[in-house]
Amino acid sequence: DVEARESILRLLFREDPLSSDIDLAALARRSDLYSGSDLKNVAMAAAMRALRRHRNNPTTEMIITDQDLESALKDIPASVSE
């Protein structure tokens, strides 16, 4: 359910720097068919995108953006069927 996914997302991102425009509750609502493992993969993919961006330009802050999450959602398919 949505509350469980939001709790999982908060746990996964608890130590990661998130952009202020990220709404984890909205992300939980949009990830209906994602398992906890899927959400972990999305979180890792988004963090890797942010890390690569920071590595390529060290003067920028290492922060996960909404675009990182959107790209990760597109790249990581949901594994739960309806």
Side-chain angles (χ1 to χ4, degrees):
D1 66 12
V2 174
E3 292 84 16
R5 287 192 305 278
E6 184 177 353
S7 294
I8 290 168
L9 289 166
R10 291 197 186 287
L11 180 67
L12 290 170
F13 287 113
R14 71 185 178 278
E15 295 181 15
D16 294 329
L18 297 177
S19 175
S20 62
D21 65 340
I22 291 178
D23 181 355
L24 293 179
L27 180 59
R29 288 189 298 274
R30 290 191 349 250
S31 56
D32 187 40
L33 298 177
Y34 283 75
S35 68
S37 180
D38 296 336
L39 293 174
K40 181 178 179 182
N41 290 336
V42 168
M44 290 176 57
M48 288 303 297
R49 287 180 56 84
L51 185 59
R52 279 189 213 103
R53 186 175 51 253
H54 176 69
R55 185 186 64 204
N56 291 335
N57 187 359
T59 61
T60 62
E61 185 177 6
M62 208 305 274
I63 190 165
I64 297 169
T65 65
D66 190 54
Q67 184 177 359
D68 295 327
L69 283 171
E70 289 301 320
S71 294
L73 280 173
K74 288 178 185 172
D75 292 345
I76 307 294
S79 66
V80 178
S81 60
E82 289 188 54

